Amino acid sequence: MGEVKLIATPQSFPCARIEWALKMKGVEYEYIKENLLNKSDLLLQSNPVHKKVPVLLHNGLPIAESLVILEYIDETWKQNPLLPQDPHDRAHARFWARFIDEKCVAGVWGAGVAQGEGKEKAIESALELLALLDKQIEGKKYFGGEEIGYLDIVAGWIPHWLNVLEELGEMELLTAERFPHLHQWSLNLLQTSPVKDCLPPRDSVVDYFSFGFNYVRSMAANK
Ligand SMILES: N[C@@H](CCC(=O)N[C@@H](CS)C(=O)NCC(=O)O)C(=O)O
């Protein structure tokens, strides 16, 4: 197994993804808590390009970017596979993982921080993106089928973190009426280990995102 360390911040969902994956694989790891307001030399040396968490250190070698780390974990510890085995299914899972990170996260965040006349349009765009995800999960318990897998981990911010963004952004996106499949999947995921056992307290996520919201909004106001 070797020595496994995770440089992470408890309120960060890219970091939670890595914790869930390691727990699903039964890999023991040391958690190194990072202060993003005063980044450690270890983080800056391990991820000099992006300077972001999470970073996995396996026998001292750093791997950055949560989607990359998930694939590394899956290739290194073969038990309880995260990605599907079939090449087409794997490509499909990677496609939707990128969609979730590049489109949905950005869209929901953008709708949350938006204020004034652009807000309604930003919410509409976020809803269109979530509608595409809702269609993907239709008729399935998890994105991968009957068992929790890679895409559930990647989309795992939706059940716990999205609701905080809704509150801070004064908007309602994920309702059972609008997105019944995604809504039901969210409820299922919150009942599923390791997700249910490894979530930061909601209040701490509110504080964490409030900081980011205030920063982005003050930058927009000072433009
Ligand atoms: N694409 C990256 C995103 C990681 C990310 O945004 N990390 C945030 C915490 S959630 C961070 O380290 N922010 C510090 C900064 O931007 O300076 C991934 O999936 O790992």
Side-chain angles (χ1 to χ4, degrees):
M1 193 173 281
E3 184 192 63
V4 181
K5 296 182 181 183
L6 175 62
I7 310 175
T9 301
Q11 291 75 28
S12 148
F13 65 78
C15 297
R17 288 172 176 166
I18 309 309
E19 285 211 88
W20 297 332
L22 290 170
K23 287 180 191 302
M24 283 168 72
K25 296 283 186 178
V27 174
E28 301 276 326
Y29 59 96
E30 181 189 336
Y31 192 100
I32 303 176
K33 192 169 161 183
E34 182 65 32
N35 176 0
L36 292 176
L37 297 177
N38 181 19
K39 292 178 183 171
S40 66
D41 287 345
L42 181 63
L43 175 65
L44 299 176
Q45 282 158 16
S46 305
N47 188 3
V49 173
H50 297 300
K51 304 178 178 65
K52 291 185 179 190
V53 289
V55 176
L56 189 78
L57 296 168
H58 187 201
N59 294 323
L61 295 177
I63 305 114
E65 287 292 307
S66 63
L67 299 188
V68 177
I69 301 171
L70 288 178
E71 294 219 20
Y72 178 84
I73 290 173
D74 209 25
E75 286 170 12
T76 304
W77 295 283
K78 304 280 186 203
Q79 64 274 24
N80 304 329
L82 304 177
L83 275 147
Q85 299 303 299
D86 174 77
H88 184 264
D89 291 347
R90 287 168 84 84
H92 184 80
R94 289 182 179 120
F95 172 89
W96 284 102
R98 284 178 63 171
F99 173 82
I100 288 165
D101 260 17
E102 292 168 15
K103 296 285 186 184
C104 295
V105 172
V108 169
W109 177 265
V113 294
Q115 288 175 301
E117 49 182 57
K119 179 104 183 161
E120 209 175 309
K121 202 156 184 274
I123 290 177
E124 253 173 55
S125 306
L127 291 174
E128 280 170 22
L129 296 165
L130 292 174
L132 291 167
L133 267 192
D134 187 63
K135 238 179 154 36
Q136 279 304 304
I137 191 74
E138 185 173 354
K140 294 189 269 186
K141 185 166 184 196
Y142 299 109
F143 279 97
E146 280 307 300
E147 302 287 337
I148 174 177
Y150 172 72
L151 267 187
D152 301 288
I153 293 177
V154 174
W157 58 276
I158 293 176
H160 194 58
W161 282 260
L162 173 64
N163 172 261
V164 174
L165 292 171
E166 287 177 316
E167 180 186 317
L168 294 174
E170 293 157 331
M171 57 186 183
E172 200 178 37
L173 302 177
L174 180 57
T175 62
E177 293 71 33
R178 238 184 223 138
F179 304 124
H181 314 297
L182 198 60
H183 187 265
Q184 186 55 49
W185 165 84
S186 289
L187 296 179
N188 290 343
L189 199 72
L190 287 176
Q191 298 302 318
T192 307
S193 288
V195 173
K196 74 175 162 81
D197 319 307
C198 185
L199 288 171
R202 190 177 185 281
D203 287 358
S204 71
V205 180
V206 171
D207 290 347
Y208 182 71
F209 277 155
S210 298
F211 184 83
F213 258 57
N214 293 339
Y215 178 76
V216 173
R217 284 178 170 173
S218 68
M219 293 291 277
N222 291 331
K223 257 190 189 167

